[in-house]
Amino acid sequence: MDKTATLSWLAPDRRVNGEQISPNELISYTIRYGQDPNNLDQSVVLDDVSGQVSVSYTIEDLDVGTWYFTIQVQDASGLMSEPSEAVSKTIQS
């Protein structure tokens, strides 16, 4: 059985305040995930993403049930975005 979730996204091109941001200014993404949408208790950090416009990552060995995922980006100045809207995937037995 497939017990993986592949997340794919595009680098943001604007900051929250509307200013443009280049993919070269982005240094990492943090994926938070878990089975409780209000308590995403696991995480993985993707470093060295500078310049990447299209990003994907596969999380493996997920238990049966519904999993929720959010993504945050950090720029070269250390600023971290708010978490994305949560997405979910159900792993079948």
Side-chain angles (χ1 to χ4, degrees):
M1 280 293 164
D2 181 24
K3 295 194 175 194
T4 66
T6 299
L7 304 167
S8 300
W9 64 95
L10 297 175
D13 62 359
R14 299 245 177 239
R15 296 180 181 275
V16 173
N17 66 6
E19 291 178 6
Q20 280 193 304
I21 187 169
S22 162
N24 294 327
E25 295 178 71
L26 306 177
I27 61 166
S28 70
Y29 290 98
T30 300
I31 300 170
R32 287 190 171 73
Y33 62 102
Q35 291 191 284
D36 178 348
N38 298 312
N39 181 26
L40 302 179
D41 58 353
Q42 298 180 59
S43 65
V44 63
V45 176
L46 308 180
D47 290 319
D48 301 322
V49 299
S50 179
Q52 294 182 35
V53 175
S54 179
V55 185
S56 76
Y57 185 80
T58 300
I59 298 172
E60 300 177 341
D61 300 321
L62 296 171
D63 291 334
V64 171
T66 301
W67 289 84
Y68 300 88
F69 307 86
T70 64
I71 300 171
Q72 289 178 277
V73 63
Q74 185 173 3
D75 71 10
S77 299
L79 297 174
M80 181 77 82
S81 71
E82 291 294 320
S84 66
E85 295 270 336
V87 296
S88 65
K89 179 177 182 178
T90 300
I91 303 296
Q92 304 291 332
S93 60

